[in-house]
């Protein structure tokens, strides 16, 4: 039975191209530093796009036993680390936690692509009897959510959102719904992705979805700029701990922000290209505002999807102008993907964390590499801005026409 309980955020954890841990990620984000470099995970010389947002200096053995690392694809290794930070940040006492009413929804657009490729090579070279029994559980996208549940013995609702680049935002929204309607008191949510492998990158190149600006990697990701030519592929993970307000207050939790609205929609247009007018994104944002019970004057800041694709950025701008009208010119808008690259199914997670930090700190991260703006909205070009932000929206739009927007507000106990 739906109870319409308030949902608050009490824990944050990230693994990103700008650093591991929320503090490092946030400091580099507001400093306008780029995490995009030439690919080092493999030799990209034969691929037209050779830059990416890699997680640097990541050694899974710093966080887990060797046997555990071998049984986990890189994307689940990331979520292992992000969930540890989020749980520590939340201050949840596992001995006192009702694990039957604590669930996990963690999204991934692709899952264990490297594992699939590695084991396919084993199959071809050594035969079917040498394929690892861990192939399937290491590869499937839901395993990030499953492993977090297993690790903390959480028996509440558990599932994975697989909606391309909207997966992270969908996970946060659906986790919020679980708490609102009384299915759980606590939910872990977010996204994880490790797509920087030759086959995956080659596929994006064939689609002409990714940048080919390889000469100066730090300037390759150019959301809303006239010289943009596609997104920069990236990897990482984010986990947020959500709780009902009542549960958080009862245990004296430090509350970071409130999830006040969630909207979803479909473009119903194309398998990869966004609908140019932005109708799906417009509906998504409109639904999020309606769910929050707010009008267009409520939004101070939008963390844009802003991938730097020629059509995608334009569609998002069209959607923002359609929904907010003249108010759109008063809203600060920025894209962290200019610094991190595009984490696909994990993008919504790290960007929700950035949006929460914006609300808490009153600092809006910039959109770097915005040297020749194509559009006339305020994208906070190249340097952060200080501004009080009470309410913000974060957008994620994915292949297949999947759209998800979240409204986050400063928490005030009444």
């Amino acid at each position: 039975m739906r109870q319409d309980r308030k949902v608050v955020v009490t824990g944050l954890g990230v693994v990103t191209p700008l650093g591991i841990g929320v503090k490092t990620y946030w400091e580099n984000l507001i400093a306008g530093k780029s995490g995009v470099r030439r690919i080092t995970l493999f030799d990209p010389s034969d691929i037209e796009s050779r830059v990416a947002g890699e997680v640097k200096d990541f050694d899974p053995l710093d966080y887990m036993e060797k046997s555990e690392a071998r049984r986990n694809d890189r994307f689940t290794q990331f979520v292992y680390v992000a969930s540890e930070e989020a749980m520590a940040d939340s201050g949840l006492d596992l001995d006192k936690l009702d694990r039957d009413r604590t669930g996990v929804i963690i999204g991934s657009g692709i899952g264990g692509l490297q594992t699939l490729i590695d084991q396919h090579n084993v199959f071809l070279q050594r035969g079917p009897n040498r394929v690892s029994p861990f192939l399937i559980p290491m590869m499937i996208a839901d395993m990030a959510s499953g492993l977090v549940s297993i690790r903390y013995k959480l028996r509440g609702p558990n599932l994975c959102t697989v909606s391309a680049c909207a997966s992270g935002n969908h996970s946060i929204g659906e986790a919020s719904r679980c708490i609102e309607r009384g299915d759980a008191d606590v939910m872990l949510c977010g996204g994880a992705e490790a797509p920087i492998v030759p086959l995956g990158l080659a596929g994006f190149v064939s689609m002409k979805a990714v940048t080919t600006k390889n000469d100066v990697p730090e300037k390759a990701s150019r959301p809303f700029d006239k010289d943009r030519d596609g997104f920069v592929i990236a990897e990482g993970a984010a986990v947020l701990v959500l709780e009902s307000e009542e549960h958080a207050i009862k245990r004296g939790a430090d509350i970071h922000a409130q999830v006040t609205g969630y909207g979803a929609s479909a473009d119903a247009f194309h398998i990869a290209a966004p609908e140019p007018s932005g109708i799906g994104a417009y509906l998504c944002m409109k639904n999020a505002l309606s769910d929050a019970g707010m009008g267009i004057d409520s939004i101070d800041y939008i963390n844009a999807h802003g991938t730097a694709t020629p059509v995608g950025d334009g569609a998002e701008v069209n959607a923002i102008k359609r929904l907010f009208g003249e108010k759109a010119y008063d809203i600060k808008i920025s894209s962290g993907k200019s610094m991190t690259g595009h984490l696909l199914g994990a993008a919504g997670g790290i960007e929700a964390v950035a949006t929460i930090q914006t609300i808490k700190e009153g600092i809006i991260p910039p959109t770097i590499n915005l040297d020749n703006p194509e559009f006339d909205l305020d994208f906070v070009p190249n340097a952060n801005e200080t501004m009080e932000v009470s309410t913000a929206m974060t957008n994620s739009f994915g292949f297949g026409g999947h759209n998800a927007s979240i409204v986050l507000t400063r928490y005030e106990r009444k």
Side-chain angles (χ1 to χ4, degrees):
M1 181 179 295
R2 186 175 174 88
Q3 297 183 22
D4 289 319
R5 301 188 300 173
K6 289 184 179 179
V7 179
V8 297
V9 184
T10 59
L12 304 172
V14 299
V15 175
T16 82
L18 290 179
I20 298 171
V22 171
K23 183 176 184 294
T24 302
Y25 164 58
W26 175 244
E27 289 176 350
N28 286 329
L29 195 71
I30 60 175
K33 293 184 178 180
S34 174
V36 178
R37 300 289 186 272
R38 181 181 170 88
I39 292 170
T40 63
L41 290 170
F42 60 89
D43 182 0
S45 300
D46 294 335
I47 301 177
E48 194 173 357
S49 182
R50 297 185 285 277
V51 298
E54 295 180 346
V55 176
K56 302 167 188 66
D57 303 319
F58 180 80
D59 184 347
L61 300 183
D62 291 339
Y63 307 97
M64 63 192 76
E65 296 296 325
K66 185 175 182 179
S67 59
E68 190 167 12
R70 290 179 61 188
R71 293 195 299 267
N72 282 280
D73 186 88
R74 188 171 170 91
F75 89 108
T76 50
Q77 292 173 354
F78 289 156
V79 87
Y80 185 106
V81 177
S83 64
E84 184 76 8
E85 183 185 19
M87 287 294 283
D89 183 44
S90 74
L92 283 166
D93 186 339
L94 288 171
D95 292 331
K96 296 179 180 178
L97 185 64
D98 185 347
R99 303 186 198 213
D100 294 348
R101 292 189 54 77
T102 303
V104 186
I105 302 177
I106 295 175
S108 183
I110 298 176
L113 185 57
Q114 185 65 64
T115 294
L116 176 61
I117 293 169
D118 290 344
Q119 290 302 308
H120 182 244
N121 288 334
V122 170
F123 175 83
L124 293 177
Q125 296 167 14
R126 303 172 66 186
N129 293 333
R130 302 307 297 271
V131 171
S132 171
F134 293 106
L135 163 61
I136 302 302
M138 286 176 68
M139 176 195 71
I140 52 180
D142 71 297
M143 198 48 62
S145 190
L147 285 173
V148 170
S149 170
I150 292 166
R151 183 180 184 195
Y152 297 109
K153 307 300 181 189
L154 308 178
R155 295 179 291 269
N158 188 280
L159 56 105
C160 170
T161 49
V162 183
S163 46
C165 307
S167 300
N169 262 12
H170 275 136
S171 78
I172 298 167
E174 296 303 323
S176 298
R177 290 283 191 261
C178 285
I179 294 172
E180 287 174 355
R181 63 178 176 252
D183 291 345
D185 298 319
V186 181
M187 294 292 296
L188 278 68
C189 56
E193 208 79 88
I196 308 174
V197 301
L199 180 63
L201 183 55
F204 282 121
V205 168
S206 294
M207 295 175 68
K208 301 189 183 303
V210 289
T211 183
T212 57
K213 293 182 182 296
N214 300 308
D215 294 340
V216 185
E218 297 86 351
K219 294 187 174 296
S221 184
R222 311 184 66 84
F224 307 112
D225 191 82
K226 289 180 181 178
D227 296 326
R228 70 191 186 280
D229 70 333
F231 70 81
V232 170
I233 195 168
E235 63 179 359
V239 174
L240 292 77
V241 177
L242 309 185
E243 298 183 52
S244 71
E245 180 188 40
E246 179 184 14
H247 188 276
I249 290 174
K250 186 176 181 179
R251 70 179 187 86
D254 180 18
I255 296 174
H256 296 305
Q258 181 176 342
V259 182
T260 47
Y262 165 48
S265 72
D267 281 359
F269 175 71
H270 189 272
I271 59 173
E275 199 283 326
S277 76
I279 181 63
Y282 158 78
L283 289 171
C284 178
M285 292 187 291
K286 180 182 177 183
N287 292 341
L289 275 180
S290 177
D291 186 54
M294 295 178 175
I296 60 172
D297 291 334
S298 301
I299 300 298
D300 303 311
Y301 166 65
I302 297 174
N303 187 300
H305 183 55
T307 60
T309 59
V311 178
D313 286 5
E316 186 170 13
V317 169
N318 289 340
I320 291 170
K321 288 183 174 181
R322 179 171 181 172
L323 178 60
F324 292 96
E326 288 300 313
K327 167 68 177 174
Y329 294 90
D330 299 325
I331 299 173
K332 299 292 183 180
I333 305 165
S334 68
S335 172
K337 292 183 182 73
S338 61
M339 293 168 275
T340 64
H342 189 359
L343 276 70
L344 310 184
I350 70 162
E351 289 161 15
V353 170
T355 305
I356 290 166
Q357 289 296 108
T358 295
I359 292 170
K360 290 176 61 179
E361 304 293 334
I363 303 174
I364 298 176
T367 305
I368 69 168
N369 301 323
L370 188 51
D371 303 321
N372 299 292
E374 181 172 334
F375 309 100
D376 57 354
L377 299 181
D378 186 350
F379 297 107
V380 192
N382 300 315
N384 73 58
E385 294 188 23
T386 300
M387 173 182 153
E388 183 175 336
V389 176
S390 297
T391 303
M393 177 181 288
T394 179
N395 290 333
S396 289
F397 313 131
F399 286 174
H402 306 295
N403 305 307
S405 295
I406 304 291
V407 176
L408 296 156
T409 58
R410 178 182 297 116
Y411 175 74
E412 295 180 4
R413 184 173 177 179
K414 296 181 180 179

